[in-house]
Amino acid sequence: MNMKNEYLKSAIQFAKEAGQLILENMNQSNTIQQKLNHADLVTEVDQLSEDLLRKQIKTMYPDHWILSEEATGQEDPFEIIKKEKSGIGWIIDPIDGTTNFIHRIPHFAVSIGIVNGGEPMIGVVYNPATDDLYYAVKGEGAFHNETSIQVSKESGIQQAVLATGFPSKEWKENSSVSKQIHALTGKCRNIRLLGAASLDLCFVAKGLISGFWHDELNPWDTAAGLLILQEAGGKVTTRCGQLYNLENRTLVASNGFIHDSLLKLLQF
Ligand code: 2AM
Ligand code: CA
């Protein structure tokens, strides 16, 4: 087995183990803590999942670095990403979609991106509640469970279903996200706020929706989904249209065909 496939196999195994742990704890009354505000939440299950993932990675790959949501604390993850340009690193979100998890909405995921020399090499996104597994290896296509996936062929923004979300600090009156949604209202087929960025990217990759935009995401929200979407034929840029990398704070993702129209509608 080549190394890339070994890492993929490990990432899938770790994501499924963490997913099992999350499900086992889903119906317990978990302690919920606020981070920035009443919309920015973390549970003890986020921490349990992260501990399991870090332990597995450290045991199997002691030379690899790890960037994960809860361990990062108040540090700026973008500064860490800028420094970690060499070697192999695992960028993990132990639960993406924590608010859905807390409300027992079965739409959350374990997200694991592996980068090599700063470039995404492997992406694994696993929703344990529905047993949906998305994954990609650089240059080898994207998959949902065992099936190869591609983006939608939709070329008109009027036929496009899009998704976005509110970064917790933008959950307020006169939010910039409300303005963005307003700018697209009536222009596309409809807009969804599904609550888990990694799965939004996979939904674009699978052609279920044609585009997704989101501000202020962190590298652990996007590292895995970014590669899965690119390998499915999609396009990911910043809101200014530059090719997206893990250091950027705005993200516009699409099937490629509607990209320019979407970017244009978000320029105001
Ligand atoms: P989380 O569940 O891991 O917090 C919801 O639109 C999406 O945005 C989720 O993927 C959520 O990730 C992410 N998100 C919410 N608030 C965020 C914040 N302040 N910074 C970065 N990502 C955030
Ligand atoms: Ca999270």
Side-chain angles (χ1 to χ4, degrees):
M1 201 190 302
N2 71 30
M3 287 317 282
K4 279 203 276 189
N5 285 340
E6 188 201 304
Y7 299 148
L8 173 68
K9 202 170 151 222
S10 298
I12 291 174
Q13 182 198 322
F14 301 163
K16 289 198 168 184
E17 286 170 6
Q20 184 63 36
L21 181 77
I22 294 165
L23 282 191
E24 282 164 10
N25 286 278
M26 186 160 161
N27 293 318
Q28 322 273 336
S29 48
N30 296 300
T31 314
I32 300 165
Q33 284 180 336
Q34 292 189 11
K35 292 205 264 188
L36 287 175
N37 59 28
H38 72 286
D40 195 12
L41 304 172
V42 62
T43 72
E44 57 204 317
V45 189
D46 294 75
Q47 192 63 59
L48 282 175
S49 172
E50 183 166 303
D51 291 347
L52 182 146
L53 292 166
R54 291 186 75 97
K55 183 169 148 265
Q56 295 290 53
I57 296 162
K58 278 190 173 152
T59 305
M60 290 256 308
Y61 306 107
D63 299 338
H64 294 183
W65 55 268
I66 305 172
L67 175 67
S68 59
E69 181 164 12
E70 309 316 331
T72 299
Q74 299 304 312
E75 254 184 282
D76 181 354
F78 295 96
E79 289 304 317
I80 300 173
I81 283 280
K82 271 182 207 154
K83 276 185 245 144
E84 298 280 16
K85 288 284 188 224
S86 61
I88 296 177
W90 296 59
I91 304 177
I92 57 180
D93 192 345
I95 303 182
D96 181 37
T98 296
T99 304
N100 284 346
F101 169 73
I102 289 167
H103 289 263
R104 284 182 276 117
I105 298 167
H107 190 80
F108 49 83
V110 178
S111 176
I112 302 179
I114 306 180
V115 295
N116 189 1
E119 293 297 317
M121 173 170 67
I122 281 155
V124 170
V125 174
Y126 179 58
N127 179 349
T130 56
D131 198 23
D132 280 305
L133 173 72
Y134 297 88
Y135 62 92
V137 175
K138 176 87 181 162
E140 297 181 17
F143 296 84
H144 172 225
N145 297 330
E146 295 302 314
T147 309
S148 166
I149 52 173
Q150 275 87 37
V151 292
S152 71
K153 302 268 184 290
E154 209 67 80
S155 58
I157 194 96
Q158 281 190 323
Q159 284 75 44
V161 175
L162 307 172
T164 188
F166 284 82
S168 38
K169 66 178 178 197
E170 275 301 319
W171 186 241
K172 60 182 187 190
E173 279 182 49
N174 300 317
S175 161
S176 59
V177 185
S178 307
K179 292 182 189 124
Q180 294 158 8
I181 292 173
H182 183 69
L184 279 153
T185 302
K187 305 274 188 354
C188 60
R189 179 163 283 163
N190 218 313
I191 295 174
R192 299 286 178 263
L193 286 89
L194 299 167
S198 61
L199 287 169
D200 286 310
L201 290 166
C202 294
F203 276 19
V204 183
K206 196 172 178 228
L208 304 181
I209 58 176
S210 297
F212 167 65
W213 83 95
H214 205 298
D215 289 350
E216 299 292 336
L217 288 172
N218 284 306
W220 44 76
D221 298 313
T222 59
L226 169 66
L227 183 68
I228 294 169
L229 177 53
Q230 287 170 333
E231 287 295 321
K235 185 167 179 177
V236 193
T237 69
T238 64
R239 194 117 52 75
C240 300
Q242 288 154 331
L243 226 51
Y244 178 86
N245 66 49
L246 296 174
E247 292 167 29
N248 296 125
R249 289 169 194 261
T250 65
L251 175 148
V252 179
S254 81
N255 64 1
F257 306 111
I258 63 154
H259 207 87
D260 289 346
S261 311
L262 180 54
L263 283 178
K264 221 169 172 180
L265 286 163
L266 289 170
Q267 303 299 327
F268 53 86

